[in-house]
Amino acid sequence: MADYDLIVIGAGPGGYVAAIRAAQLGLKTACVESRDTLGGTCLNVGCIPSKALLHASELYEEAHSGALEKFGINLKGASLDLKAMMAEKEKAVGELTGGIEFLFKKNKVDWIKGHAAFESASSIIVDGKSYAAKNFIIAAGSSVTPLPGVEIDNSKGVVVDSTGALELSKVPEHLVVIGGGVIGLELGSVWRRLGAKVTVVEYLDQILPGMDGEIRKESAKIFKKQGFDIQTGTKVTGVAVKGKKAILSVEPAAGGEVSTIEADAVLVSIGRRPNTDGLALDKAGITPNNRGQIAIGHDFQTSVPGIYAIGDCVPGPMLAHKAEDEGIAAAEFIAGMTGIVNHDLIPGVVYTHPEIASIGLTEEEARERGAIKVGKFPFAANSRAKANRDTDGFVKVIAEADTDRVVGVHIISSLAGTLIAQATQAMEFGACSEDIAYTCHAHPTHAEALKEAAMAVQGKPIHM
Ligand code: FAD
Ligand code: NAI
């Protein structure tokens, strides 16, 4: 006899959303979570605390750096109370994780507290107690990828991962970030704004792998202008901790002369890997691939009928909104419906200043598939950005040459994360660049830059 119709393992954005959706659809549902609070990586130590600190540090930099003086606002003497900043971040996290607990109660989802491991394909064990279910969704998420030769110890605050970098007790004089990806640039931005010198050591020859080439180049230029020291084509071969200092050994990625960098804090952010080790997947008959990911079919079902997997522990981008949408779709499949996630249209946003946002194919990927037309429009020619004195960045729209169908949009702008939603929706509806160009956009808004970039696909923007 099954205790539940569905047990979800993990209460991150994938798992908690799947559990709520399943309960809404009438399934008797439980969710197992080993943390003290619900919400997974995203709410506890990921999206939410990082965005809280990005927002607060941006306010501090604006107030402290004299950037507001040109608007006639003189805030000389603005100072930092890091403890208060951290406390406000914790408050946001607490309100949101508590909110999930409320939603579980409201939707009658049972929270089984503890660590789940499979006993068989139809039961799990949590703290010595066995639970059987007709279906399972594995939503165990991911953790930081370790770097050989580098020992992370968040409690000491010298060599840390993203969780440690969200709670440093003081601003390091020199922070070295290993990995010029999303976490390195977001959390590097936080500490740079708060006063740290930040060096980014990136193995590849450019930061932000996977993004559109022009966007990568432009963002590196902007970050360097902000004071980031970006060392690309460089690898860290070891970190020695001496008291409160760290000495990094670095050398060119292709090998060569070793040099050292001294730092007060080191952030290891070289990617994340799925949390599939502690689940006893073999007892359920599932073998993860060589990257630790669980293979799934179009319906999110693993090779074992009745066991589904979603989010960071399956292939694809490791993003909260992707995990959420997969959670809803998997729950709908289990309830006998057809769940839908368009994996070709998962937006990605880097929440630096300016923000960097992408949807669909990069220009490089699009060119490989066939002839394209590209329209670009700079924020330097957008009236709202000009009025705000905030003109960094551009919009790029990529359309198929023969059909004019939009296949990619890439934006650098202080509002890129918000603007990308419009491009995503247009692409979801199969828009041509002309559809965007002939849609009336309110004036003066940053969104007009997207319209102008779409007009530029035909070579006819107005304001350029
Ligand atoms: P997770 O959120 O990792 O949740 C999995 C949960 O399962 C965890 O709480 C874990 O404790 C639990 N668990 C695992 N194994 C077991 C077990 N055996 N038994 C019981 N419980 C278990 N993404 C964005 O889209 N936007 C952002 O701005 C963003 N910012 C980020 C910032 C940082 C610093 C980090 C680290 C990540 C960020 N991400 C962001 C990525 C995002 O957090 C993840 O993609 C998302 O959390 C994945 O959701 P998930 O449900 O798959 O897994
Ligand atoms: P990442 O994959 O974005 O970047 C890792 C970087 O480290 C890459 O540029 C890679 O080339 C580099 N690297 C790898 N090994 C290295 C080495 N030995 N030395 C130097 N550089 C090395 O991974 P990151 O930043 O750790 O983030 C993990 C995941 O979290 C991302 O995939 C992202 O999906 C998610 N995330 C999303 C956010 C968002 O949506 N805004 C914010 C933060 C994280």
Side-chain angles (χ1 to χ4, degrees), residues 10 13-14 33-35 40-41 46-47 51 115-116 140-141 312 318-321:
E33 173 55 60
S34 54
R35 277 178 209 272
T41 304
C47 327
K51 265 78 256 178
H115 181 91
D312 279 10
M318 290 181 162
L319 295 171
H321 40 282

Side-chain angles (χ1 to χ4, degrees), residues 263-286:
D264 309 281
V266 177
L267 164 59
V268 181
S269 50
I270 58 162
R272 293 176 63 81
R273 60 177 187 186
N275 289 331
T276 42
D277 279 354
L279 288 164
L281 288 174
D282 53 325
K283 298 225 168 105
I286 296 171

Side-chain angles (χ1 to χ4, degrees), residues 273-338:
R273 60 177 187 186
N275 289 331
T276 42
D277 279 354
L279 288 164
L281 288 174
D282 53 325
K283 298 225 168 105
I286 296 171
T287 311
N289 68 19
N290 58 4
R291 303 178 68 184
Q293 298 161 327
I294 301 170
I296 47 170
H298 79 283
D299 57 356
F300 305 97
Q301 206 158 187
T302 65
S303 54
V304 178
I307 304 185
Y308 297 72
I310 57 169
D312 279 10
C313 63
V314 303
M318 290 181 162
L319 295 171
H321 40 282
K322 177 224 176 222
E324 287 185 39
D325 287 7
E326 290 182 343
I328 289 175
E332 290 181 349
F333 273 114
I334 292 168
M337 300 160 67
T338 302

